[in-house]
Amino acid sequence: MSHVKVELKKEDVAKIKEICKTFHNNPGELINVLHKAQSFFGYLPAEVQEIVAVELNIPVAKVYGVVTFYSFFTMLPKGQHPISICTGTACYVRGAEKVLDEFKRILNVSVGETTPDGKFSLGCLRCVGACGLAPVVMVGEKVYGRVSPDGVKDILKEYE
Amino acid sequence: MHMLVCGGTGCRASASDAIVETLNSELAAKGMENEVQVIMTGCFGFCEKGPIVKILPDNTFYTQVTPADSAEIVAEHIVKGRKVNRLLYTDPENKEHISDSKHMGFYKKQLRIALRNCGVINPENVEEYIARDGYQAIGKVFEMGAQATIEQMKKSGLRGRGGGGFPTGLKWEIASKNHADQKYVVCNADEGDPGAFMDRSILEGDPHSVIEAMTINGFCIGATKGLVYIRAEYPLAIKRLQIAIDQAREYGLLGKDILGSGFDFDIELRYGAGAFVCGEETALIHSMEGERGEPTVKPPFPAESGYLGKPTNVNNVETFANIPVIILKGAEWFSAIGSEKSKGTKVFALAGKINNVGLIEVPMGTTLREVIYEIGGGIKNGKKFKAVQTGGPSGGCLTEKHLDTPIDYDNLLAVGSMMGSGGMIVMDEDDCMVSVAKFYLEFTVEESCGKCSPCRIGNKRLHELLERITKGEGTMEDLDRLRNLSHVIKDSSLCGLGQTSPNPVLSTLDNFYDEYVAHVTERKCPAGQCKSLMQYVIDQEACVGCTACARNCPVNAIAGDRKKPHVIDTSICIKCGACIEKCKFNAISIQ
């Protein structure tokens, strides 16, 4: 996993400490702490994990172990508009792979990467539960249903 | 008068929020806002035709409504009492409009127990749940006592709906007999099977039924704390569940001394973070403790040593949703529904190449044929049925010859699949079964927690073998290797994930062996899905040189002069299929 070096500001450090405190610095609440921290920072760089480890009094290795175990947590910043293609079974049999290929081709990035301008990041997710609309694509919080490879350009156009 | 608008995730993605807004403003414009109430409910189930608006008391069921239709519905239906025919469901056979959902093929064979309130009540209002006999079961349980309630649960024959099918009453009894200063009730809402969304729909549409059932469970086993382990990817379900918990506390239905019984019980949420293996109960418990979600050897079972080492009872959302009704209507009523060893109903998420995608609930013992053809309305675009995959990544692919199998836990196991959480994906003649098996293995490889080697290494090797076969590099020995390795993984893995992950491979090998052989010996994919095994070719006779294909090729692999036959450079072609779609002369084929 490539490493992004970040320098945390004083108030960021204070924010992480505050999050840990709302969970009583309880190591059993590690996952909840990470959820809160990620929703605040957008991702969980090593520097954030180090502070969480100190605050909860557990090894950094344990925090890193949890962060890398769960697919919801990410150590890389996402694009301004994160794109997720549902690759659940229902979407798969209705052609999600072709839609994904089209996004890869137009944006010229692979799954898990962000465009150089930081605008779009491309990812896959397993089932949003809108199988009636398969194949489904999410851009940020917005859900697009019955997407065809032809429709990919139009979706991207909305964010230009 | 009431107007019910579906507020499930699927319909909200198709702007059902905006429909509620425009309906309200149209009603206000006509001065009828006090006579007609617009309510956002949980999922109606008929996702294919969403967004759905249902009007009570006449039960009119409008399909595929857009915000722009609101004005017409209000002006015609509400003001003049005339139905808007163009928005009614059309029977695919006789092309007649059907206005009452009761008469639609999709609903006729269904029996909704777990989904009884979904699409009927406003999930954000506890009083609507109470009006539908909500929180009466817990009162009855306080009168009956814990022991008698557990007896009822055992007699009902209810089995775990998360996939394992363990008898719920028995699970409760074991947990009740273990003594400890603190016990826990856990609701498993970590719905990880891609293509199954019943638990989410229940939590979004009827959260109080789960809260009530967890309280009943707590009273029976002597637990005062409940935890719901829910996927962080379900923001709407989390929001509605939290609202429901707050309301239940406010009404004295959670907290200290519930309904004056002296029994204390409260519920907290714990968020999952995206790991399929956390559906396994020991992995789930570790995840709730803030650890990596890795399973451990059973015994000890959670009923003995679970969350924080205390006796814990884990049940799934759908299992819980059945419980209040069983208590109210009695074990005899429930056990009269279903098949001999599987009682009651099961919710299935019907998806894939089928006409009526949606969430359905049928009595156990209904056949696959009834589900696919009568409820599901048959295969999309008139194609031929090929397979139905039940049980998600742990299940198997069943074929034509299994269609008359009555669905229950034991029958599905006997034919090499499983009930699982209830995903049901239908595939047609265009789906390559080797690719489907590879797709599921890709999922398993990604989701294997890595703790035990048969699952961590074995599934990776299975995936590599399948990859070779779909590239046309497989041998007949590889097919035997696939089968042997599958059995080793099943027999030696630590938890349910590895013990079932080779099922998609074994069932496709059993049912579609010829297709595997075609990939290996003829280097051909009969369904035309495996990219490495196909080539796009332009028929020089049929091509008129219209240039449509060349203009639409994203990688400029097609060359040729106007009005002259074109040629595809196969070394550049990415096999995306854009040219076939654009060709009006059927001159391009896959070989």
Side-chain angles (χ1 to χ4, degrees), chain B residues 74-133:
Chain B
V74 170
E76 285 293 307
H77 191 123
I78 306 294
V79 178
K80 296 183 189 150
R82 288 195 297 233
K83 285 177 183 165
V84 184
N85 280 334
R86 66 177 182 91
L87 294 174
L88 293 176
Y89 176 72
T90 318
D91 189 295
E93 272 175 25
N94 57 24
K95 307 286 171 216
E96 276 175 26
H97 292 306
I98 304 177
S99 80
D100 192 333
S101 54
K102 274 206 299 284
H103 304 299
M104 294 176 192
F106 182 77
Y107 286 104
K108 253 190 245 169
K109 288 229 158 169
Q110 291 198 47
L111 175 64
R112 292 166 92 93
I113 297 176
L115 300 177
R116 64 195 175 281
N117 289 328
C118 290
V120 179
I121 62 168
N122 175 357
E124 297 183 11
N125 185 348
V126 61
E127 296 201 359
E128 294 203 13
Y129 179 68
I130 293 173
R132 300 259 305 166
D133 297 336

Side-chain angles (χ1 to χ4, degrees), chain A residues 24-131:
Chain A
H24 311 290
N25 294 38
N26 177 0
E29 301 273 11
L30 176 60
I31 291 176
N32 282 339
V33 169
L34 294 175
H35 268 300
K36 273 265 153 53
Q38 181 163 302
S39 72
F40 180 72
F41 287 100
Y43 68 116
L44 296 168
E47 290 75 8
V48 170
Q49 298 179 35
E50 280 161 17
I51 300 171
V52 170
V54 171
E55 289 302 302
L56 303 188
N57 198 20
I58 47 177
V60 190
K62 192 181 162 188
V63 179
Y64 178 78
V66 169
V67 169
T68 50
F69 184 85
Y70 295 98
S71 61
F72 197 82
F73 298 131
T74 168
M75 288 179 62
L76 293 172
K78 289 206 169 148
Q80 194 188 341
H81 305 291
I83 301 171
S84 307
I85 287 98
C86 178
T87 47
T89 324
C91 288
Y92 170 78
V93 300
R94 284 201 185 176
E97 223 179 349
K98 284 186 178 160
V99 174
L100 176 61
D101 286 346
E102 187 66 6
F103 272 110
K104 281 194 209 161
R105 196 183 63 77
I106 297 183
L107 297 174
N108 198 19
V109 290
S110 318
V111 172
E113 289 181 357
T114 305
T115 49
D117 59 1
K119 205 160 176 193
F120 296 106
S121 54
L122 190 60
C124 290
L125 54 82
R126 299 284 184 185
C127 202
V128 229
C131 305

Side-chain angles (χ1 to χ4, degrees), chain B residues 305-361:
Chain B
S305 170
Y307 182 61
L308 304 177
K310 304 290 184 190
T312 304
N313 183 71
V314 186
N315 278 133
N316 143 286
V317 173
E318 191 188 331
T319 315
F320 277 127
N322 275 294
I323 289 166
V325 203
I326 297 177
I327 302 290
L328 285 180
K329 295 197 177 176
E332 286 77 21
W333 166 80
F334 189 78
S335 62
I337 303 164
S339 68
E340 199 200 329
K341 286 187 180 157
S342 305
K343 301 300 183 191
T345 55
K346 177 77 191 85
V347 182
F348 290 100
L350 198 55
K353 306 274 186 63
I354 191 154
N355 279 319
N356 301 336
V357 168
L359 199 64
I360 63 158
E361 182 169 356

Side-chain angles (χ1 to χ4, degrees), chain B residues 141-208:
Chain B
V141 164
F142 289 147
E143 278 169 30
M144 285 200 303
Q147 208 43 50
T149 308
I150 292 177
E151 278 312 312
Q152 281 286 310
M153 290 309 301
K154 279 167 71 182
K155 250 203 267 170
S156 74
L158 177 68
R159 294 169 67 174
R161 298 294 194 240
F166 191 82
T168 307
L170 191 59
K171 208 173 193 179
W172 287 21
E173 185 173 60
I174 298 167
S176 74
K177 285 186 177 154
N178 287 317
H179 296 285
D181 54 343
Q182 177 73 55
K183 294 185 191 179
Y184 295 96
V185 169
V186 172
C187 172
N188 181 350
D190 188 52
E191 193 168 45
D193 170 1
F197 50 97
M198 56 282 298
D199 293 348
R200 197 206 55 204
S201 292
I202 291 171
L203 291 171
E204 284 176 4
D206 191 17
H208 284 285

Side-chain angles (χ1 to χ4, degrees), chain A residues 148-151 153, chain B residues 536 544 546-554 558 576-588:
Chain A
S148 67
D150 278 348
K153 307 190 274 303
Chain B
Y536 284 71
V544 298
C546 74
T547 75
C549 57
R551 276 183 282 120
N552 281 288
C553 176
I558 306 179
C576 66
C579 51
I580 291 200
E581 275 168 39
K582 294 292 181 237
C583 181
K584 289 184 189 138
F585 307 96
N586 287 327
I588 307 175

